[in-house]
Amino acid sequence: MAFNKRRTETLDYMQSMLGQMRTMAEAERCDMLTYLIEMAYVEVSDIIRGERPARVRDQVRNSAA
């Protein structure tokens, strides 16, 4: 239970920081950096919602079985 709470808090924090970094990258007109940060933001959002596993390796292993 404590692990899940800590994990959720960590993911929420990462999402918040990525949102701020995306804004900063946009302000500096760093298009590629903005895009990459946006992709990380979307990824963490999907993980939070349970739509994507946190580890790609687990996904590959499960689909190969």
Side-chain angles (χ1 to χ4, degrees), residues 7-62:
R7 183 175 190 267
T8 300
E9 289 173 350
T10 299
L11 291 170
D12 287 342
Y13 178 75
M14 291 169 61
Q15 185 181 40
S16 175
M17 292 297 100
L18 286 164
Q20 291 179 36
M21 290 191 314
R22 179 186 56 205
T23 300
M24 292 166 63
E26 281 179 330
E28 296 302 323
R29 294 196 257 169
C30 299
D31 295 337
M32 186 61 169
L33 186 56
T34 300
Y35 171 77
L36 293 171
I37 293 169
E38 175 68 21
M39 291 299 97
Y41 183 92
V42 169
E43 182 74 13
V44 76
S45 298
D46 288 351
I47 292 168
I48 289 169
R49 286 193 311 270
E51 295 179 4
R52 186 177 310 276
R55 298 188 69 184
V56 175
R57 191 173 6 173
D58 293 343
Q59 185 179 16
V60 171
R61 185 179 305 137
N62 290 339

